[in-house]
Amino acid sequence: MDAEFQRLLMFSIEGLLSAFSTVIWFSYRDQKAKNEATQRALDEYKLHVAESYVTQNVLSKAVEGIAKSLESFSQSMDKKLDRIEYKLDGKQDKGQS
């Protein structure tokens, strides 16, 4: 091999390596930008969850309040039904006499 051919071969190899490393660099840069965008979206979602969703304690208190309200409603309905039944029984007794 003569010196001119060796220089041409080395120049070609350096050019290919340079092109390959440039492609890798741009791929890395694009992937890094996508990663940062995904991280921002995840951070926004975490903030949304922290602001919007209830804690276990708040949910437990709300369910407890609803249960108390339903129990109170059930007791008042039982009393009203008992009075209606008593009145109906009284009318039935009058009708038989």
Side-chain angles (χ1 to χ4, degrees):
M1 285 196 195
D2 64 343
E4 186 67 29
F5 179 73
Q6 285 180 348
R7 266 184 272 153
L8 182 61
L9 182 63
M10 290 303 291
F11 181 71
S12 299
I13 290 174
E14 288 173 358
L16 288 174
L17 287 174
S18 175
F20 181 71
S21 60
T22 301
V23 168
I24 288 177
W25 170 252
F26 281 111
S27 296
Y28 167 76
R29 195 175 69 175
D30 290 344
Q31 191 61 39
K32 186 176 178 183
K34 288 178 185 177
N35 186 29
E36 289 171 354
T38 303
Q39 187 63 43
R40 277 193 303 275
L42 179 61
D43 290 342
E44 289 172 7
Y45 177 73
K46 286 180 179 179
L47 180 61
H48 168 72
V49 168
E51 291 174 345
S52 302
Y53 289 84
V54 300
T55 63
Q56 183 68 32
N57 292 337
V58 172
L59 181 62
S60 295
K61 288 178 183 177
V63 168
E64 189 176 301
I66 292 171
K68 285 180 182 177
S69 296
L70 288 175
E71 184 177 332
S72 173
F73 176 75
S74 174
Q75 289 173 353
S76 68
M77 288 303 294
D78 285 343
K79 289 178 183 177
K80 287 180 182 180
L81 289 174
D82 287 342
R83 280 195 314 241
I84 291 172
E85 184 180 8
Y86 177 75
K87 286 181 181 181
L88 288 176
D89 284 345
K91 286 188 179 197
Q92 184 179 13
D93 290 343
K94 286 182 183 179
Q96 289 178 356
S97 331

